[in-house]
Amino acid sequence: MATSALDDLNLTALIDALLLTQPPGERDALAPRYRTGLTDPADVAHRHEIVRDLSNTQVSDAVRGFTRALRNIREHLSLGERLPHPLQNHLVRLEAVHDYGAAVTAFAEALTAPEAEPDGLGAALGELVAHLRSALTPGTPFAELRAAADKVTADLAEVRYTLHIRANRISVSRHRGERDHGADIAGLFARFRREGAPSHLAAMPRDLEMDPVEARILGLVADLNPEPFAALEEFAAKHRDFLDPVLVDFDHEIRFYLAYLDFTGPLRDAGLPFCLPRINEPGGPVRILDGYDLALADKLAHERPDTGAEAIVVNSVALEPPERLLVVTGPNQGGKTTFARMFGQLHHLAALGLPVPAADAELPLPDNLFTHFEREEDLRTLRGKLDDELVRIREALEEATSRSVVIMNESFSSTSLHDARFIGEHVLDKLAALDVTCLYVTFVDELAALPRHGERTVSLVATIVPDDPSQRTYRLVRRPADGRAYATAIAAKYGLTHDALRERLR
C-alpha cells in the first residue's frame, strides 16, 4: 500500500505505536511486514492458523519464552564479539550454545505437552514441532552440538590454578593441592550464621569486560592448560553459526504476530471485539459487524484508560453483489471519516492475515487499496487544490482493478456544489466501470442515488439524535440520503442557522 494511503487511514500512526512496544533493534525488520498486504488467500489462511495456535495459552507462553531466549542469546553473542580478548569471546560463545540448547529443549517440551495439544496445531506450528522432535534425536547436528559443548565445558571445569599475590605482583601457577582458604573463611564465619536472618549480600553486577589484569591472568591460565583452551578455540571456530536456520526464520516471523497481539491485547481485555475475517473471492460480499477505527481506539485507550473503550462507537455494513459503491453522507463531525478509515483498516489488516477490529467480518482480499482524502495545497507541485485532487484520482483510477478498494473522503469539496456533483458523477462512473469496491464520503447527496448505477450503489447516512440535531450518534445506517446534510453545512457557512438568525435579528 502506498505511504499516502497508510497516512490517510491512520495506519502509519497505528504501525508506529505498535512498533514502540518492540525492542529498537527489531523495529526496522518488522515495519515492512505491517505495510504490505498479502494477495494470495492461501498465505492469509497460513497466518490465520498461526494466530489460532497462539490463542492457546500454553503455546503462546512457550513461543514467547523461546523468542525471549533467542533475543538474549543474540545480544550475548553481539556483546561477546565486541570483547577485546579472543578467549573471552570463545567462552561467551560456549555459554550461548548452552543457553541455546536449553531454550530449544524447553521449547520442544512445552509444545509437545498435553496442554498444548500438539496434534491439534495448525500446519505451521505442527511442522515446527516435527522439526524440533527430529532435532532432539540422538546423532543429529543439534545433539552433537550440545555434546561437544558439554565436553568442552567439562574439560575447562577441570582446570585448576593458584594465584600468588605479593604487593603489586601476581603470579599464576598450576594447582598443586594448596589449601582452599576460601573454605576456611566460610567455615570460620559459619558459627555466626542465624537461620531466617535477612541477607545483606549484594548482587555483583555482571560485567563481561575484563580489565588488563584479568585478561593477563586468563592468558597465563590458558598457557598453563593449552589442551582445553585449544579445544575451546576449535569449538568456537567450528560453531560460529550454530543457530538452526529453521528456528531463526520462525523467530523472525512469529514476532510479527506477537507484536500485534501484544498491542491489541489491552483493547481486547477492555471488551473491544476482534475476529479473524473470512476471505471471499474477488467481487464477493463485504460484511462487517461492529467494526471500529483501531487507531482511534488505541488513542482513546491511552488518553482515557478507564473509559476509552466505552467511548468507541461500532458500526456495521454489508455489500451484497452486485453492490460495489458505498456512498456515505450526513452532517459534519458525524463519524463519516472515522467510518471510512475503519473500512480501509479492516481491508488492510485482513490482507495482513491478522485479527481485525470487528465482532465478525467477511471480506474479499484486495490487490491494492487507494485513498483520496482532502489535503492542503502543496506549493512544490505548482497546482491548485482541485487540480491536485484531479491528478491524484486519475493516478488511482489508472492503477485500480476490479480487486482494488478505493476510499474517497470529502473529495472535491474545494469547488462548487455543481462542479463537485459533476466530477463525482464521472468518477463514480469510472469506478463502476472498473467494478472496484468503493467507499465515497461526500456532501453531495445526489451521488448516493444515481439511476444509471442502479443496485450497484448503497447509501449510508450518519445519524443524529432525533430530539437534538446538534448531537451526533456517530452511527451510520443504510437508508437514502435525506438531502439535509449539505444544506445544513451551507447554512452554517453563511450564518443562516436558526441560532445565527435569532442572534442577528436581536
Side-chain angles (χ1 to χ4, degrees), residues 158-180:
E158 295 298 321
V159 172
R160 295 288 186 274
Y161 60 92
T162 301
L163 287 180
H164 300 272
I165 304 175
R166 293 188 180 86
N168 61 351
R169 181 180 178 84
I170 299 176
S171 60
V172 181
S173 63
R174 296 182 183 277
H175 181 66
R176 304 185 184 281
E178 291 89 347
R179 189 181 184 87
D180 185 355

PDB file of all heavy atoms in Angstrom, residues 158-180:
ATOM      1  N   GLU A 158      37.823 -28.787  34.789  1.00  0.00           N
ATOM      2  CA  GLU A 158      38.910 -29.494  35.449  1.00  0.00           C
ATOM      3  C   GLU A 158      40.148 -28.624  35.645  1.00  0.00           C
ATOM      4  O   GLU A 158      41.096 -29.035  36.301  1.00  0.00           O
ATOM      5  CB  GLU A 158      39.284 -30.738  34.638  1.00  0.00           C
ATOM      6  CG  GLU A 158      38.183 -31.792  34.562  1.00  0.00           C
ATOM      7  CD  GLU A 158      37.834 -32.334  35.935  1.00  0.00           C
ATOM      8  OE1 GLU A 158      38.765 -32.533  36.750  1.00  0.00           O
ATOM      9  OE2 GLU A 158      36.627 -32.554  36.207  1.00  0.00           O
ATOM     10  N   VAL A 159      40.156 -27.456  35.016  1.00  0.00           N
ATOM     11  CA  VAL A 159      41.324 -26.574  35.123  1.00  0.00           C
ATOM     12  C   VAL A 159      41.405 -26.012  36.545  1.00  0.00           C
ATOM     13  O   VAL A 159      40.437 -25.462  37.064  1.00  0.00           O
ATOM     14  CB  VAL A 159      41.245 -25.445  34.082  1.00  0.00           C
ATOM     15  CG1 VAL A 159      42.354 -24.421  34.322  1.00  0.00           C
ATOM     16  CG2 VAL A 159      41.320 -26.000  32.667  1.00  0.00           C
ATOM     17  N   ARG A 160      42.570 -26.183  37.166  1.00  0.00           N
ATOM     18  CA  ARG A 160      42.836 -25.639  38.494  1.00  0.00           C
ATOM     19  C   ARG A 160      44.130 -24.832  38.436  1.00  0.00           C
ATOM     20  O   ARG A 160      45.094 -25.226  37.761  1.00  0.00           O
ATOM     21  CB  ARG A 160      42.994 -26.756  39.532  1.00  0.00           C
ATOM     22  CG  ARG A 160      41.728 -27.573  39.782  1.00  0.00           C
ATOM     23  CD  ARG A 160      40.703 -26.755  40.561  1.00  0.00           C
ATOM     24  NE  ARG A 160      39.550 -27.575  40.935  1.00  0.00           N
ATOM     25  CZ  ARG A 160      38.511 -27.777  40.162  1.00  0.00           C
ATOM     26  NH1 ARG A 160      38.469 -27.209  38.959  1.00  0.00           N
ATOM     27  NH2 ARG A 160      37.501 -28.527  40.555  1.00  0.00           N
ATOM     28  N   TYR A 161      44.132 -23.706  39.125  1.00  0.00           N
ATOM     29  CA  TYR A 161      45.359 -22.904  39.154  1.00  0.00           C
ATOM     30  C   TYR A 161      45.405 -22.141  40.468  1.00  0.00           C
ATOM     31  O   TYR A 161      44.397 -22.028  41.191  1.00  0.00           O
ATOM     32  CB  TYR A 161      45.411 -21.934  37.966  1.00  0.00           C
ATOM     33  CG  TYR A 161      44.280 -20.941  37.917  1.00  0.00           C
ATOM     34  CD1 TYR A 161      44.398 -19.685  38.506  1.00  0.00           C
ATOM     35  CD2 TYR A 161      43.074 -21.256  37.286  1.00  0.00           C
ATOM     36  CE1 TYR A 161      43.361 -18.776  38.467  1.00  0.00           C
ATOM     37  CE2 TYR A 161      42.020 -20.364  37.249  1.00  0.00           C
ATOM     38  CZ  TYR A 161      42.177 -19.123  37.834  1.00  0.00           C
ATOM     39  OH  TYR A 161      41.146 -18.226  37.805  1.00  0.00           O
ATOM     40  N   THR A 162      46.581 -21.615  40.762  1.00  0.00           N
ATOM     41  CA  THR A 162      46.795 -20.883  42.004  1.00  0.00           C
ATOM     42  C   THR A 162      47.332 -19.502  41.690  1.00  0.00           C
ATOM     43  O   THR A 162      48.221 -19.345  40.838  1.00  0.00           O
ATOM     44  CB  THR A 162      47.814 -21.617  42.896  1.00  0.00           C
ATOM     45  OG1 THR A 162      47.317 -22.936  43.192  1.00  0.00           O
ATOM     46  CG2 THR A 162      48.033 -20.865  44.198  1.00  0.00           C
ATOM     47  N   LEU A 163      46.753 -18.502  42.365  1.00  0.00           N
ATOM     48  CA  LEU A 163      47.234 -17.133  42.236  1.00  0.00           C
ATOM     49  C   LEU A 163      48.094 -16.796  43.453  1.00  0.00           C
ATOM     50  O   LEU A 163      47.682 -17.005  44.598  1.00  0.00           O
ATOM     51  CB  LEU A 163      46.063 -16.149  42.160  1.00  0.00           C
ATOM     52  CG  LEU A 163      45.229 -16.102  40.875  1.00  0.00           C
ATOM     53  CD1 LEU A 163      44.127 -15.054  41.014  1.00  0.00           C
ATOM     54  CD2 LEU A 163      46.094 -15.785  39.675  1.00  0.00           C
ATOM     55  N   HIS A 164      49.268 -16.262  43.187  1.00  0.00           N
ATOM     56  CA  HIS A 164      50.151 -15.784  44.257  1.00  0.00           C
ATOM     57  C   HIS A 164      50.198 -14.260  44.166  1.00  0.00           C
ATOM     58  O   HIS A 164      50.645 -13.712  43.158  1.00  0.00           O
ATOM     59  CB  HIS A 164      51.561 -16.358  44.097  1.00  0.00           C
ATOM     60  CG  HIS A 164      51.598 -17.854  44.155  1.00  0.00           C
ATOM     61  ND1 HIS A 164      51.725 -18.565  45.331  1.00  0.00           N
ATOM     62  CD2 HIS A 164      51.514 -18.775  43.163  1.00  0.00           C
ATOM     63  CE1 HIS A 164      51.705 -19.865  45.064  1.00  0.00           C
ATOM     64  NE2 HIS A 164      51.589 -20.017  43.742  1.00  0.00           N
ATOM     65  N   ILE A 165      49.690 -13.605  45.207  1.00  0.00           N
ATOM     66  CA  ILE A 165      49.632 -12.142  45.209  1.00  0.00           C
ATOM     67  C   ILE A 165      50.575 -11.619  46.279  1.00  0.00           C
ATOM     68  O   ILE A 165      50.410 -11.897  47.473  1.00  0.00           O
ATOM     69  CB  ILE A 165      48.203 -11.651  45.480  1.00  0.00           C
ATOM     70  CG1 ILE A 165      47.233 -12.260  44.457  1.00  0.00           C
ATOM     71  CG2 ILE A 165      48.135 -10.132  45.444  1.00  0.00           C
ATOM     72  CD1 ILE A 165      45.787 -11.927  44.726  1.00  0.00           C
ATOM     73  N   ARG A 166      51.590 -10.901  45.823  1.00  0.00           N
ATOM     74  CA  ARG A 166      52.554 -10.277  46.749  1.00  0.00           C
ATOM     75  C   ARG A 166      52.710  -8.814  46.338  1.00  0.00           C
ATOM     76  O   ARG A 166      53.218  -8.527  45.262  1.00  0.00           O
ATOM     77  CB  ARG A 166      53.906 -10.985  46.698  1.00  0.00           C
ATOM     78  CG  ARG A 166      53.882 -12.414  47.223  1.00  0.00           C
ATOM     79  CD  ARG A 166      55.305 -12.969  47.308  1.00  0.00           C
ATOM     80  NE  ARG A 166      55.324 -14.330  47.813  1.00  0.00           N
ATOM     81  CZ  ARG A 166      55.176 -15.414  47.070  1.00  0.00           C
ATOM     82  NH1 ARG A 166      54.994 -15.283  45.755  1.00  0.00           N
ATOM     83  NH2 ARG A 166      55.208 -16.620  47.598  1.00  0.00           N
ATOM     84  N   ALA A 167      52.211  -7.931  47.224  1.00  0.00           N
ATOM     85  CA  ALA A 167      52.257  -6.490  46.942  1.00  0.00           C
ATOM     86  C   ALA A 167      51.589  -6.235  45.593  1.00  0.00           C
ATOM     87  O   ALA A 167      50.427  -6.558  45.403  1.00  0.00           O
ATOM     88  CB  ALA A 167      53.696  -5.992  46.984  1.00  0.00           C
ATOM     89  N   ASN A 168      52.332  -5.676  44.634  1.00  0.00           N
ATOM     90  CA  ASN A 168      51.747  -5.358  43.338  1.00  0.00           C
ATOM     91  C   ASN A 168      52.134  -6.375  42.268  1.00  0.00           C
ATOM     92  O   ASN A 168      52.110  -6.087  41.080  1.00  0.00           O
ATOM     93  CB  ASN A 168      52.159  -3.963  42.881  1.00  0.00           C
ATOM     94  CG  ASN A 168      53.668  -3.851  42.727  1.00  0.00           C
ATOM     95  OD1 ASN A 168      54.402  -4.752  43.125  1.00  0.00           O
ATOM     96  ND2 ASN A 168      54.124  -2.750  42.142  1.00  0.00           N
ATOM     97  N   ARG A 169      52.468  -7.586  42.702  1.00  0.00           N
ATOM     98  CA  ARG A 169      52.887  -8.619  41.758  1.00  0.00           C
ATOM     99  C   ARG A 169      51.961  -9.836  41.910  1.00  0.00           C
ATOM    100  O   ARG A 169      51.680 -10.286  43.015  1.00  0.00           O
ATOM    101  CB  ARG A 169      54.341  -9.031  42.039  1.00  0.00           C
ATOM    102  CG  ARG A 169      54.876 -10.090  41.076  1.00  0.00           C
ATOM    103  CD  ARG A 169      56.327 -10.432  41.432  1.00  0.00           C
ATOM    104  NE  ARG A 169      56.846 -11.471  40.553  1.00  0.00           N
ATOM    105  CZ  ARG A 169      57.367 -11.239  39.358  1.00  0.00           C
ATOM    106  NH1 ARG A 169      57.435  -9.998  38.892  1.00  0.00           N
ATOM    107  NH2 ARG A 169      57.829 -12.235  38.613  1.00  0.00           N
ATOM    108  N   ILE A 170      51.486 -10.347  40.771  1.00  0.00           N
ATOM    109  CA  ILE A 170      50.620 -11.524  40.748  1.00  0.00           C
ATOM    110  C   ILE A 170      51.269 -12.564  39.857  1.00  0.00           C
ATOM    111  O   ILE A 170      51.686 -12.275  38.740  1.00  0.00           O
ATOM    112  CB  ILE A 170      49.217 -11.187  40.196  1.00  0.00           C
ATOM    113  CG1 ILE A 170      48.540 -10.132  41.084  1.00  0.00           C
ATOM    114  CG2 ILE A 170      48.345 -12.430  40.109  1.00  0.00           C
ATOM    115  CD1 ILE A 170      47.193  -9.689  40.550  1.00  0.00           C
ATOM    116  N   SER A 171      51.380 -13.774  40.357  1.00  0.00           N
ATOM    117  CA  SER A 171      51.921 -14.873  39.557  1.00  0.00           C
ATOM    118  C   SER A 171      50.881 -15.997  39.509  1.00  0.00           C
ATOM    119  O   SER A 171      50.085 -16.170  40.425  1.00  0.00           O
ATOM    120  CB  SER A 171      53.238 -15.382  40.145  1.00  0.00           C
ATOM    121  OG  SER A 171      53.040 -15.856  41.467  1.00  0.00           O
ATOM    122  N   VAL A 172      50.889 -16.750  38.421  1.00  0.00           N
ATOM    123  CA  VAL A 172      49.940 -17.837  38.204  1.00  0.00           C
ATOM    124  C   VAL A 172      50.733 -19.128  38.051  1.00  0.00           C
ATOM    125  O   VAL A 172      51.718 -19.196  37.314  1.00  0.00           O
ATOM    126  CB  VAL A 172      49.098 -17.593  36.935  1.00  0.00           C
ATOM    127  CG1 VAL A 172      48.095 -18.733  36.734  1.00  0.00           C
ATOM    128  CG2 VAL A 172      48.377 -16.259  37.022  1.00  0.00           C
ATOM    129  N   SER A 173      50.306 -20.162  38.785  1.00  0.00           N
ATOM    130  CA  SER A 173      50.979 -21.462  38.692  1.00  0.00           C
ATOM    131  C   SER A 173      49.940 -22.571  38.708  1.00  0.00           C
ATOM    132  O   SER A 173      48.763 -22.339  38.991  1.00  0.00           O
ATOM    133  CB  SER A 173      51.951 -21.642  39.865  1.00  0.00           C
ATOM    134  OG  SER A 173      51.247 -21.646  41.104  1.00  0.00           O
ATOM    135  N   ARG A 174      50.361 -23.777  38.406  1.00  0.00           N
ATOM    136  CA  ARG A 174      49.456 -24.923  38.454  1.00  0.00           C
ATOM    137  C   ARG A 174      49.037 -25.185  39.901  1.00  0.00           C
ATOM    138  O   ARG A 174      49.790 -24.936  40.828  1.00  0.00           O
ATOM    139  CB  ARG A 174      50.133 -26.169  37.880  1.00  0.00           C
ATOM    140  CG  ARG A 174      50.479 -26.048  36.406  1.00  0.00           C
ATOM    141  CD  ARG A 174      51.106 -27.354  35.903  1.00  0.00           C
ATOM    142  NE  ARG A 174      51.518 -27.238  34.527  1.00  0.00           N
ATOM    143  CZ  ARG A 174      50.706 -27.398  33.478  1.00  0.00           C
ATOM    144  NH1 ARG A 174      49.431 -27.677  33.687  1.00  0.00           N
ATOM    145  NH2 ARG A 174      51.167 -27.274  32.251  1.00  0.00           N
ATOM    146  N   HIS A 175      47.863 -25.676  40.049  1.00  0.00           N
ATOM    147  CA  HIS A 175      47.370 -26.015  41.377  1.00  0.00           C
ATOM    148  C   HIS A 175      48.036 -27.319  41.848  1.00  0.00           C
ATOM    149  O   HIS A 175      47.997 -28.329  41.144  1.00  0.00           O
ATOM    150  CB  HIS A 175      45.840 -26.196  41.334  1.00  0.00           C
ATOM    151  CG  HIS A 175      45.256 -26.528  42.665  1.00  0.00           C
ATOM    152  ND1 HIS A 175      45.268 -25.658  43.721  1.00  0.00           N
ATOM    153  CD2 HIS A 175      44.614 -27.654  43.099  1.00  0.00           C
ATOM    154  CE1 HIS A 175      44.661 -26.215  44.754  1.00  0.00           C
ATOM    155  NE2 HIS A 175      44.260 -27.428  44.411  1.00  0.00           N
ATOM    156  N   ARG A 176      48.657 -27.263  42.977  1.00  0.00           N
ATOM    157  CA  ARG A 176      49.386 -28.435  43.497  1.00  0.00           C
ATOM    158  C   ARG A 176      48.839 -28.854  44.866  1.00  0.00           C
ATOM    159  O   ARG A 176      49.579 -29.229  45.768  1.00  0.00           O
ATOM    160  CB  ARG A 176      50.878 -28.119  43.599  1.00  0.00           C
ATOM    161  CG  ARG A 176      51.470 -27.647  42.269  1.00  0.00           C
ATOM    162  CD  ARG A 176      52.963 -27.452  42.369  1.00  0.00           C
ATOM    163  NE  ARG A 176      53.522 -26.913  41.151  1.00  0.00           N
ATOM    164  CZ  ARG A 176      53.777 -27.620  40.051  1.00  0.00           C
ATOM    165  NH1 ARG A 176      53.495 -28.915  40.031  1.00  0.00           N
ATOM    166  NH2 ARG A 176      54.297 -27.035  38.990  1.00  0.00           N
ATOM    167  N   GLY A 177      47.551 -28.774  45.010  1.00  0.00           N
ATOM    168  CA  GLY A 177      46.928 -29.237  46.240  1.00  0.00           C
ATOM    169  C   GLY A 177      46.963 -28.225  47.362  1.00  0.00           C
ATOM    170  O   GLY A 177      46.793 -28.605  48.532  1.00  0.00           O
ATOM    171  N   GLU A 178      47.204 -26.951  47.019  1.00  0.00           N
ATOM    172  CA  GLU A 178      47.229 -25.941  48.074  1.00  0.00           C
ATOM    173  C   GLU A 178      45.874 -25.848  48.777  1.00  0.00           C
ATOM    174  O   GLU A 178      44.839 -26.145  48.194  1.00  0.00           O
ATOM    175  CB  GLU A 178      47.573 -24.562  47.488  1.00  0.00           C
ATOM    176  CG  GLU A 178      49.013 -24.426  46.995  1.00  0.00           C
ATOM    177  CD  GLU A 178      49.170 -24.831  45.542  1.00  0.00           C
ATOM    178  OE1 GLU A 178      48.213 -25.448  45.002  1.00  0.00           O
ATOM    179  OE2 GLU A 178      50.217 -24.554  44.950  1.00  0.00           O
ATOM    180  N   ARG A 179      45.930 -25.427  50.019  1.00  0.00           N
ATOM    181  CA  ARG A 179      44.733 -25.328  50.837  1.00  0.00           C
ATOM    182  C   ARG A 179      43.796 -24.249  50.295  1.00  0.00           C
ATOM    183  O   ARG A 179      44.247 -23.185  49.853  1.00  0.00           O
ATOM    184  CB  ARG A 179      45.135 -24.996  52.281  1.00  0.00           C
ATOM    185  CG  ARG A 179      43.997 -25.079  53.283  1.00  0.00           C
ATOM    186  CD  ARG A 179      44.529 -24.708  54.677  1.00  0.00           C
ATOM    187  NE  ARG A 179      43.491 -24.871  55.675  1.00  0.00           N
ATOM    188  CZ  ARG A 179      43.229 -26.008  56.311  1.00  0.00           C
ATOM    189  NH1 ARG A 179      43.951 -27.083  56.029  1.00  0.00           N
ATOM    190  NH2 ARG A 179      42.280 -26.082  57.225  1.00  0.00           N
ATOM    191  N   ASP A 180      42.473 -24.518  50.321  1.00  0.00           N
ATOM    192  CA  ASP A 180      41.466 -23.566  49.856  1.00  0.00           C
ATOM    193  C   ASP A 180      41.109 -22.643  51.017  1.00  0.00           C
ATOM    194  O   ASP A 180      40.337 -22.995  51.902  1.00  0.00           O
ATOM    195  CB  ASP A 180      40.221 -24.312  49.379  1.00  0.00           C
ATOM    196  CG  ASP A 180      39.190 -23.358  48.783  1.00  0.00           C
ATOM    197  OD1 ASP A 180      39.398 -22.133  48.834  1.00  0.00           O
ATOM    198  OD2 ASP A 180      38.166 -23.847  48.266  1.00  0.00           O
TER     199      ASP A 180
END
